[in-house]
Amino acid sequence: IFGRLCRYIGQPPVIGEVIAGLALGPSLLGAINPDAMHLLIPSQMVDPQGAVATSLKVIAQLGVILYMFLVGLELNAAKLKHKAHAAVAISHASIVVPFTLGTLLSLWLYPMLSDRDVSFVSFALFLGVAMSITAFPVLARILTDRNLQNTPVGTVALSCAAADDVTAWCLLSLVVGVAKAEVGNAAFVVGGAVVFILVIFFIVRPLLNRYVEIMDRSESGLHPYAIVSVYVMILGAAALTEWIGIHALFGAFLLGVTIPSDSSIAKSFQSKLKEPVTVLLLPAFFAYTG
């Protein structure tokens, strides 16, 4: 309902989904009637293990992982060949400028919001990284709602956001490493991200292209085992990036990019997954966030 209202007034539906989460959570419903909120999401006294909240989080994560895979499927990487330099320049600028402004802002905010238990360096780095992160799923959702994901602007924007997402998580791990004096963890995240990207593009992509060619030549259509294998790869790529220290959605998105958008596998997943994910699962992610 909130999504429909936002669409009616010219705003992206994702804004309404986040507002719905805010309305159902402690920000509004919890402030007005806590018992009604706990009826929807039981409190820790009623649900000591947090099973309801955990289940909602799992549904939300699954929705955004499958959605980012679909976004990757629709992304035409061929359009980036002549705009790669622009995408890299835009991506770096969109990190450097807000990062610099965020660290400068910390000079004013540190005395107000922090104390001597937190070093100024950690505070400044955290604020800089927080200001430089792009909300990748939100950007992708807005572009697809506006049917801009396959336009030149949409393609460059998604590519920049993907690069920003990886860089931001690497920076965040560096900040945590500096704060905890464990810089080795940051090196693991950066190295793991580089290795994952290289493996995806130079090992997984050629194998997938060969697999897709075989499936396209098959007259019997996609075998159920082929569909199951793709789901396993989606969850495997997501779990691997989560283990490395980057968000799970990046692995699913990058796997989707490696599958040719005009293949039978891509078309099948786009037709069968789009409505269940965008109508049912994905709103749960934004509502849960709210």
Side-chain angles (χ1 to χ4, degrees):
I1 294 173
F2 280 93
R4 290 275 185 177
L5 289 174
C6 283
R7 189 188 294 273
Y8 179 75
I9 62 176
Q11 295 298 315
V14 62
I15 303 300
E17 292 162 5
V18 175
I19 292 175
L22 289 169
L24 294 174
S27 299
L28 182 59
L29 183 60
I32 298 173
N33 190 341
D35 292 336
M37 185 193 74
H38 292 316
L39 183 63
L40 295 173
I41 304 176
S43 63
Q44 192 170 3
M45 294 180 61
V46 179
D47 184 19
Q49 303 299 323
V52 174
T54 301
S55 299
L56 288 174
K57 186 176 181 180
V58 170
I59 293 172
Q61 289 292 331
L62 181 62
V64 75
I65 286 170
L66 292 177
Y67 177 71
M68 293 311 298
F69 172 72
L70 291 176
V71 172
L73 282 181
E74 295 181 0
L75 184 67
N76 191 346
K79 294 181 180 179
L80 283 175
K81 289 184 178 179
H82 303 293
K83 298 182 180 180
H85 296 293
V88 171
I90 294 169
S91 175
H92 289 170
S94 67
I95 293 174
V96 172
V97 173
F99 183 87
T100 303
L101 295 176
T103 52
L104 291 175
L105 184 63
S106 64
L107 293 170
W108 179 55
L109 292 179
Y110 180 74
M112 299 168 55
L113 302 178
S114 190
D115 53 40
R116 293 181 180 179
D117 293 335
V118 179
S119 68
F120 173 75
V121 173
S122 299
F123 183 87
L125 289 174
F126 176 81
L127 189 60
V129 172
M131 298 300 291
S132 62
I133 290 177
T134 298
F136 194 14
V138 178
L139 174 65
R141 180 70 189 278
I142 292 173
L143 289 174
T144 52
D145 284 338
R146 302 292 186 183
N147 292 321
L148 295 173
Q149 70 275 17
N150 291 321
T151 63
V153 172
T155 302
V156 173
L158 286 172
S159 303
C160 292
D164 286 355
D165 197 66
V166 176
T167 305
W169 281 104
C170 293
L171 288 173
L172 185 60
S173 65
L174 179 62
V175 171
V176 174
V178 170
K180 295 184 176 181
E182 299 175 354
V183 184
N185 289 337
F188 173 78
V189 174
V190 175
V194 172
V195 171
F196 177 80
I197 293 172
L198 292 176
V199 169
I200 282 288
F201 280 105
F202 292 102
I203 297 178
V204 176
R205 186 174 186 177
L207 294 175
L208 276 177
N209 286 339
R210 178 60 179 165
Y211 184 65
V212 166
E213 290 177 1
I214 295 173
M215 291 295 101
D216 288 344
R217 289 199 299 264
S218 176
E219 297 180 357
S220 58
L222 284 179
H223 195 278
Y225 288 125
I227 298 175
V228 171
S229 64
V230 174
Y231 278 117
V232 171
M233 286 190 289
I234 296 171
L235 297 178
L240 186 57
T241 51
E242 186 77 18
W243 175 73
I244 290 172
I246 306 171
H247 200 284
L249 63 86
F250 177 75
F253 171 77
L254 203 60
L255 182 69
V257 172
T258 60
I259 299 177
S261 57
D262 57 348
S263 64
S264 59
I265 290 180
K267 293 177 181 178
S268 176
F269 273 84
Q270 287 169 1
S271 63
K272 294 178 180 178
L273 265 184
K274 193 164 187 176
E275 287 190 3
V277 169
T278 56
V279 174
L280 181 62
L281 296 178
L282 189 62
F285 171 79
F286 295 112
Y288 182 82
T289 303

